[in-house]
Amino acid sequence: MVFDIKPHEREIFRLIEQSAIELGYEVYVVGGYVRDRLLGMPSKDMDIVCLGSGIKLAQEVAGALRPIPRVTVYSRFGTAMIKHGDMEIEFVGARKESYRFDSRKPTVEEGSLEDDQNRRDFTINALAVSLNERNFGEIIDPFGGLHHLEEKLIKTPLEPGKTFSDDPLRMMRAIRFSTQLLFKIDPGTLSAISKYKNRINIVSQERISTELQKIVLSDTPSIGFKLLFKTGLLQIIFPEMANLQGVEIRDGRGHKDNFYHTLEVLDNLSKHSKNLWLRWAAILHDIAKPATKRYNPDHGWTFHGHEALGAAMVPRIFKNLKLPLDGKMKYVQKMVRLHLRPISLTKDNITDSAIRRLLFDAGDDIDDLMMLCEADITSKNPNRVNKYRSNYELVRQKLKEVEEKDRIRNWQPPISGELIMETFGISPSREVGMIKTAIREAILDGDIENSYEAAYQYMIEKGNEFGLKTVV
Ligand code: CTP
């Protein structure tokens, strides 16, 4: 079969062909670029394999381009990269062994195109397009990759145990591609993942998390998480999440399976938001349910405090997964901590002060929080779903009204600690904090107006209660 070369590709393909002729090399486009193009998806990363030195070929190609691009050489890997328009083109010599992906650094040997295709992860990633004069544009497909693209199948080119021991990250990649492309994993390949799952332990956490993030960011992330669980990988790489699975029954009463519930919430949310960190909040919102689970014959199953404990678990989980420990983590913590707040507001207690408190605690993230809470409705009972939905509608309406009136979202209480110290001639102390909190609470409760004057007056009263006298 011949590759349908697009006009924008023809020029660069011909130039690579000419450069390879100059050096006496054979040359091919390989891997993800060929796969994505055959799937009709855009791709900006092109991998070129030659029978010779990838670095020399990159230099030859760069020399023929105008303006001449910079060649970035990775001598440790024997590869080189140039940028051409919005494309990144990477050049490498064909090889027998994969050292690039492997932590154990086997010896590298030059090889044929066939050797190079043999050492790739999946048949759909082992397709090559010839850029040589004798068969320019021909697709070289030794493992039936074209057929598997049509069948939507992820399969290793060699016996899966061999492909996975070359680089165990490929077990995660199989699941990631299956999730992104909605492809099935070949049964033999899938059972090999279960068999070799423990090999994932030799792969760096950074590489594992890169794949995990791609699963989280796909359209239906549950597909990947279910496969990770089924193969046993999740239990190794993210045990806290695997622990959510299971239903316990006492006196004939069970609770919901929190793993599948979490996945439903994640999928629901993913239909409305591509925000990676909000998706992490969905993954983690019930993470402390196993740790807080109690059974009480009168009340059935309870998970009291799971939102607070869950928020407290976030830093360790982020650290283990090597996710950023900055504002993004804080945001996820906040979402986990607050995820029950909107639902706790029912018709009778949607008071202005409860709404002001929610606005104050959530700040600018209030819309994200509401989105998470709505995704959290997974009941199969339509009456309940309707009840929750209309309640949220009411909360949203109230949020809007109160925000328009009181502007709490980005609100800072009008009296600072400095002003309190100056007014009463005192140094930093417990009283300063107590007066500040009292002012904030009084405004949030609606006891005093949200203005400087009212807050100043209240500060004087509170100070007097503590036996303080004004000095200014
Ligand atoms: N590859 C491999 N084993 C790996 C990683 C990569 O065999 N662990 C090969 C595959 O042939 C792959 C190519 O190297 O197609 C390029 O790898 P990479 O850029 O990581 O992935 P892509 O397949 O391009 O897909 P994506 O960009 O979605 O990661």
Side-chain angles (χ1 to χ4, degrees):
M1 190 174 141
V2 176
F3 190 72
D4 174 24
I5 298 173
K6 300 273 180 238
H8 73 276
E9 291 166 334
R10 187 159 294 278
E11 192 188 340
I12 185 73
F13 281 180
R14 284 289 179 199
L15 207 135
I16 295 171
E17 177 196 22
Q18 284 311 313
S19 304
I21 290 172
E22 289 296 321
L23 295 168
Y25 294 169
E26 277 185 34
V27 67
Y28 303 87
V29 193
V30 288
Y33 185 83
V34 180
R35 176 200 69 222
D36 286 346
R37 280 277 285 94
L38 289 167
L39 286 171
M41 297 183 336
S43 185
K44 295 195 185 324
D45 296 324
M46 189 189 286
D47 288 322
I48 302 291
V49 162
C50 64
L51 305 192
S53 156
I55 297 172
K56 278 194 189 145
L57 180 59
Q59 283 158 347
E60 187 76 27
V61 171
L65 283 166
R66 291 295 173 272
I68 297 180
R70 195 154 63 90
V71 180
T72 311
V73 174
Y74 305 97
S75 39
R76 203 162 86 82
F77 300 118
T79 66
M81 193 268 290
I82 57 175
K83 285 198 173 149
H84 176 61
D86 59 354
M87 302 271 307
E88 284 196 358
I89 311 178
E90 191 160 332
F91 297 81
V92 63
R95 53 185 65 159
K96 268 205 175 103
E97 278 295 345
S98 115
Y99 72 94
R100 184 176 151 191
F101 315 117
D102 199 325
S103 59
R104 284 159 298 154
K105 302 197 179 78
T107 49
V108 192
E109 253 183 88
E110 281 184 19
S112 61
L113 173 70
E114 199 187 333
D115 292 329
D116 199 275
Q117 286 174 302
N118 271 328
R119 68 169 191 95
R120 289 183 180 266
D121 53 1
F122 306 113
T123 60
I124 59 166
N125 287 346
L127 294 160
V129 174
S130 167
L131 299 184
N132 305 296
E133 212 170 4
R134 71 186 139 82
N135 57 353
F136 192 86
E138 189 183 311
I139 299 177
I140 298 150
D141 175 21
F143 307 109
L146 284 171
H147 182 56
H148 295 155
L149 275 180
E150 250 167 50
E151 278 195 320
K152 296 177 173 282
L153 192 71
I154 309 285
K155 190 173 182 201
T156 55
L158 309 177
E159 187 271 306
K162 164 90 182 90
T163 300
F164 290 149
S165 61
D166 276 355
D167 179 9
L169 184 75
R170 289 168 168 173
M171 300 188 285
M172 298 266 324
R173 283 173 59 90
I175 293 174
R176 187 260 288 186
F177 281 121
S178 166
T179 313
Q180 283 181 326
L181 302 174
L182 304 177
F183 278 29
K184 282 246 160 323
I185 302 179
D186 165 76
T189 301
L190 190 64
S191 60
I193 300 180
S194 304
K195 183 168 170 197
Y196 297 109
K197 59 176 188 278
N198 287 318
R199 298 261 177 105
I200 200 69
N201 286 317
I202 67 160
V203 177
S204 74
Q205 185 58 51
E206 286 81 357
R207 298 182 73 214
I208 293 173
S209 294
T210 302
E211 294 301 321
L212 197 60
Q213 294 288 48
K214 289 185 182 179
I215 292 173
V216 175
L217 275 176
S218 58
D219 288 347
T220 314
S222 66
I223 298 173
F225 281 105
K226 284 179 189 163
L227 285 167
L228 287 172
F229 184 77
K230 185 174 158 187
T231 54
L233 279 172
L234 193 68
Q235 289 79 338
I236 300 172
I237 63 165
F238 190 2
E240 296 87 347
M241 187 176 186
N243 271 345
L244 290 172
Q245 193 270 345
V247 177
E248 205 178 322
I249 297 179
R250 289 227 204 140
D251 302 337
R253 291 145 95 181
H255 55 78
K256 65 183 161 197
D257 183 309
N258 289 306
F259 179 62
Y260 294 103
H261 163 71
T262 293
L263 292 183
E264 247 186 285
V265 178
L266 178 59
D267 283 354
N268 283 346
L269 177 83
S270 302
K271 287 187 197 116
H272 303 287
S273 170
K274 290 203 187 305
N275 177 342
L276 176 64
W277 305 108
L278 188 54
R279 289 184 181 201
W280 270 102
I283 294 169
L284 295 172
H285 77 289
D286 279 347
I287 202 72
K289 277 203 166 171
T292 54
K293 184 165 88 170
R294 301 281 178 276
Y295 181 76
N296 173 322
D298 298 330
H299 301 107
W301 294 102
T302 63
F303 304 90
H304 291 310
H306 76 273
E307 70 285 12
L309 183 62
M313 285 168 72
V314 171
R316 174 147 297 270
I317 292 175
F318 265 50
K319 189 161 177 269
N320 291 345
L321 292 174
K322 290 233 158 73
L323 300 178
L325 302 173
D326 55 11
K328 293 168 187 113
M329 182 194 80
K330 289 254 175 283
Y331 163 88
V332 173
Q333 271 192 301
K334 178 166 152 186
M335 292 290 123
V336 173
R337 190 170 48 243
L338 296 180
H339 83 270
L340 295 177
R341 287 278 290 279
I343 203 152
S344 71
L345 298 172
T346 55
K347 273 203 178 76
D348 312 321
N349 70 359
I350 308 189
T351 57
D352 280 12
S353 76
I355 291 283
R356 269 197 296 271
R357 277 181 186 284
L358 183 58
L359 275 168
F360 180 70
D361 291 338
D364 269 343
D365 300 320
I366 185 72
D367 296 333
D368 290 358
L369 181 67
M370 290 304 289
M371 207 187 275
L372 173 64
C373 291
E374 284 181 77
D376 199 6
I377 307 175
T378 61
S379 168
K380 299 285 171 284
N381 174 338
N383 289 334
R384 261 200 206 168
V385 171
N386 282 339
K387 199 182 96 191
Y388 290 143
R389 288 247 163 85
S390 60
N391 203 35
Y392 279 143
E393 204 32 63
L394 212 64
V395 175
R396 277 185 191 278
Q397 215 178 303
K398 269 292 210 178
L399 281 167
K400 202 162 160 257
E401 278 170 31
V402 172
E403 174 59 17
E404 270 167 17
K405 189 155 59 81
D406 297 344
R407 299 274 159 222
I408 296 289
R409 251 174 113 133
N410 285 314
W411 178 70
Q412 285 300 327
I415 302 287
S416 67
E418 284 73 35
L419 184 64
I420 297 171
M421 289 190 277
E422 241 173 63
T423 311
F424 297 110
I426 54 173
S427 5
S429 57
R430 224 161 58 90
E431 281 76 15
V432 180
M434 282 158 75
I435 295 173
K436 255 181 92 173
T437 310
I439 298 170
R440 189 190 71 209
E441 296 296 294
I443 295 175
L444 289 173
D445 279 341
D447 293 342
I448 62 169
E449 206 183 275
N450 179 15
S451 70
Y452 177 81
E453 291 72 25
Y456 190 88
Q457 191 51 42
Y458 194 74
M459 168 185 72
I460 305 283
E461 282 168 29
K462 278 281 139 190
N464 291 345
E465 273 175 36
F466 290 126
L468 302 173
K469 298 263 169 301
T470 51
V471 293
V472 284

